Amino acid sequence: MDGPQRAEGLYDVAIIGLGPVGATLANLLAVDGLSVIALEREAEPYALPRAVHFDDEVMRVFQTIGLADEILPFTHVSPGMHFVDGDGRLFLDWSRPLEIGPNGWNISYRFHQPELERVLRAGARAHASVNIRLRADAFAIDQRSDHVAIRFESVANGKLEEARARYVVGCDGARSLVRRLIGSEMDDLGFHEPWLVIDAILKRPMPELGDYSVQFCDARRPATYVRSVGNRRRWEIAIMPDDDARRITDPENVWKLLARWITPDDADLERAAAYSFHSVIASTWRRERLLIAGDAAHQTPPFLGQGMCAGIRDVANLAWKLGRVIRGEANNALLNSYQTERHPHVREYVELAVRLGSLINATRSEDREADAEPRRMATIKPRLGPGLFRRECAIAGTPVPQPMLSTGRRLDDHVGYRIAVLARPDFLDGLDHAARDRCSRRGITLVADGQGPLSDWLDSIGAHAALVRPDRYIVGLAETPQQLSALVDSMSQEDFG
């Protein structure tokens, strides 16, 4: 057993499942001062690759929990993705800039999931308030008036145990126990296909494979190539109706499918597994003290690389809200904004992944003119669904940029895991004692940085101040101290009573 013993205690939050999403949530809750028990069925992180991509917003979450610098050496910056037709002609170019972006990090990273999970778990273990129970299989969850009782089996010795927590978050995957107990149905967005996922480790440098991910949009056999970290490479290849699904993962069949790219002289197979890609979203993400996140709440085809990213965004949205509710700073109705904000947001990603899946499956060379110029694809940045921000403000509900301050620190490192007011210096100078006291009592950090990127950003949006949530999303903009006070008041419990 890792972490503190709380046989008779009440945890603030219990997390079921300690994959990347659950481990990130444990870190966020600990940073926010909450006590956590995390129950995980397996003894170790799954040893083989699964997710292979995360973006700048996710790296920013890792920065918030103090682990970005530890994760960065295990990543590879990706230049983006190319879509080619059956003749190998580029027709859709989704390139990403290689310089640091508005979030203070590169736009796209490749990574090796087992390494990421080890860093996230070690980070969680470093917090005295986090109790990680491995080989702990939760089998019953009972909601009571003021807490939840979770019964679980210690797989090592068969002992039955119980933990109590104020809230339970199911990060327990596609077959989520917590989702079943919530009673949530799954909304089907219509994509269900079997694909073969192949991970290989190159024996020698093969620069001809390229750094770009490539979608081979060929109706005869759609496929995806992914350049991962180090010598790792991935191929995802559609399983066609006339394939022998029972033998598709046999090495001789795998090498036949890979023959256009590599041979056994070039690489060793790490694994080959058949998966069904799905597009579903749970209709209900919360019932009283039970909540779900990650694959328990939604599943997406992998063509955007947003599966794990969506789960990390879930818990970044949820963690600070749980903190405010548990500390009595907000009514528990605040937790309803978790689904109203996240559900429409993740749906945009899933729907786009489904459309790309249809494109990959249906494109034929003859569908295009030979000399047609490739189209450019832009990265989507959806706005949150209705929730804790001012809808009338066009940029509210989107992430605030993270500039470098004149002190040489990134904005988020200066703010910490708190609500912040970002303002021009003269605006803060004009705040009276009562306004400053209101911000102080509510744990709000006041930030101004003279003439620099922060002021330049405020100039670009024509604002004197912006109120920003702990998950780095903008609540709204203010021109006067009175408007700022109204924004600050909108973060109080009265708005959710």
Side-chain angles (χ1 to χ4, degrees):
M1 179 187 299
D2 297 314
Q5 305 289 318
R6 288 175 176 262
E8 302 298 326
L10 178 67
Y11 292 92
D12 291 320
V13 180
I15 301 169
I16 312 298
L18 200 65
V21 173
T24 300
L25 176 59
N27 278 281
L28 284 167
L29 294 172
V31 168
D32 206 24
L34 302 186
S35 62
V36 178
I37 184 168
L39 305 176
E40 167 57 46
R41 182 185 298 109
E42 303 300 328
E44 298 288 343
Y46 186 65
L48 297 175
R50 287 179 290 179
V52 292
H53 167 264
F54 64 77
D55 58 25
D56 53 344
E57 193 176 342
V58 169
M59 185 61 103
R60 199 170 174 182
V61 176
F62 296 153
Q63 177 191 350
T64 294
I65 59 178
L67 298 177
D69 289 338
E70 292 185 47
I71 290 169
L72 191 60
F74 301 113
T75 65
H76 174 80
V77 175
S78 172
M81 183 179 294
H82 286 160
F83 294 72
V84 302
D85 63 22
D87 291 330
R89 294 194 301 262
L90 176 67
F91 70 92
L92 184 60
D93 182 356
W94 188 18
S95 293
R96 280 79 170 264
L98 295 179
E99 62 269 16
I100 299 298
N103 276 309
W105 296 95
N106 291 101
I107 303 298
S108 179
Y109 294 91
R110 301 296 179 189
F111 74 104
H112 183 50
Q113 184 168 331
E115 291 172 339
L116 174 68
E117 290 197 45
R118 281 191 285 271
V119 174
L120 292 174
R121 287 191 183 189
R125 286 191 182 98
H127 293 280
S129 60
V130 177
N131 182 358
I132 295 177
R133 295 293 306 272
L134 302 177
R135 303 196 72 192
D137 188 9
F139 63 86
I141 301 174
D142 301 315
Q143 293 209 66
R144 297 171 186 170
S145 60
D146 61 348
H147 72 277
V148 182
I150 308 102
R151 286 178 285 167
F152 61 96
E153 177 186 2
S154 178
V155 177
N157 57 23
K159 182 180 178 181
L160 302 183
E161 302 185 54
E162 182 176 291
R164 298 184 301 133
R166 302 180 194 279
Y167 291 90
V168 171
V169 183
C171 302
D172 48 346
R175 298 181 180 87
S176 170
L177 169 66
V178 180
R179 186 185 66 237
R180 294 199 302 271
L181 294 175
I182 287 175
S184 177
E185 297 179 354
M186 301 297 283
D187 297 330
D188 189 343
L189 277 65
F191 190 97
H192 303 277
E193 290 187 359
W195 282 61
L196 180 65
V197 178
I198 305 165
D199 288 295
I201 300 177
L202 298 181
K203 298 177 181 179
R204 61 180 181 84
M206 296 190 67
E208 63 270 26
L209 292 174
D211 269 1
Y212 277 85
S213 294
V214 182
Q215 299 285 4
F216 297 92
C217 305
D218 187 344
R220 295 166 296 183
R221 175 79 75 175
T224 303
Y225 160 75
V226 179
R227 192 259 197 252
S228 190
V229 294
N231 293 327
R232 296 182 179 278
R233 302 293 185 270
R234 169 173 290 185
W235 284 265
E236 296 166 353
I237 300 175
I239 298 174
M240 307 307 286
D242 56 352
D243 288 330
D244 183 349
R246 296 169 300 177
R247 302 289 306 279
I248 195 72
T249 59
D250 290 353
E252 60 270 26
N253 291 324
V254 172
W255 283 116
K256 287 178 183 176
L257 292 171
L258 291 176
R260 63 185 291 190
W261 299 285
I262 58 173
T263 72
D265 292 333
D266 301 318
D268 292 319
L269 294 181
E270 187 173 28
R271 70 144 181 187
Y275 285 92
S276 291
F277 296 158
H278 298 293
S279 59
V280 292
I281 304 177
S283 58
T284 304
W285 295 23
R286 179 197 176 199
R287 183 166 69 86
E288 299 173 356
R289 295 180 180 273
L290 304 183
L291 302 106
I292 53 174
D295 284 355
H298 42 75
Q299 298 156 50
T300 180
F303 309 119
L304 277 176
Q306 284 292 320
M308 189 192 79
C309 294
I312 301 295
R313 287 187 176 92
D314 290 345
V315 296
N317 184 290
L318 177 60
W320 68 275
K321 295 176 180 178
L322 283 167
R324 288 179 65 81
V325 170
I326 288 168
R327 288 189 297 270
E329 298 166 2
N331 187 287
N332 67 17
L334 171 62
L335 298 179
N336 293 334
S337 69
Y338 166 54
Q339 178 172 349
T340 63
E341 290 182 348
R342 287 293 306 137
H343 188 288
H345 190 273
V346 75
R347 187 180 180 104
E348 289 200 40
Y349 281 106
V350 177
E351 288 178 339
L352 179 55
V354 169
R355 291 197 297 273
L356 290 179
S358 299
L359 175 70
I360 292 164
N361 284 330
T363 302
R364 297 179 181 275
S365 302
E366 57 268 25
D367 294 338
R368 310 179 55 251
E369 295 181 13
D371 58 350
E373 287 294 320
R375 290 180 290 127
R376 293 297 301 269
M377 178 173 168
T379 300
I380 64 169
K381 294 289 185 182
R383 191 185 196 191
L384 293 176
L388 191 64
F389 60 92
R390 295 298 191 187
R391 295 291 294 180
E392 68 274 12
C393 173
I395 66 169
T398 65
V400 69
Q402 181 181 204
M404 193 73 74
L405 302 180
S406 59
T407 59
R409 301 182 74 195
R410 292 187 179 96
L411 174 65
D412 296 356
D413 295 332
H414 177 80
V415 169
Y417 196 44
R418 308 178 73 186
I419 301 169
V421 173
L422 311 181
R424 303 175 192 271
D426 57 346
F427 184 91
L428 291 189
D429 291 343
L431 291 182
D432 60 21
H433 177 76
R436 289 178 176 273
D437 183 62
R438 181 186 295 109
C439 290
S440 177
R441 284 186 289 105
R442 295 179 179 177
I444 298 174
T445 300
L446 304 177
V447 183
D449 196 40
Q451 298 302 310
L454 179 58
S455 290
D456 292 344
W457 175 71
L458 289 167
D459 288 342
S460 72
I461 59 175
H464 289 83
L467 187 66
V468 179
R469 310 172 349 169
D471 60 358
R472 320 305 181 189
Y473 277 71
I474 299 167
V475 178
L477 305 178
E479 296 299 316
T480 65
Q482 293 75 23
Q483 289 178 355
L484 178 60
S485 294
L487 282 178
V488 170
D489 289 341
S490 76
M491 301 290 286
S492 71
Q493 62 182 21
E494 287 78 16
D495 274 27
F496 301 93

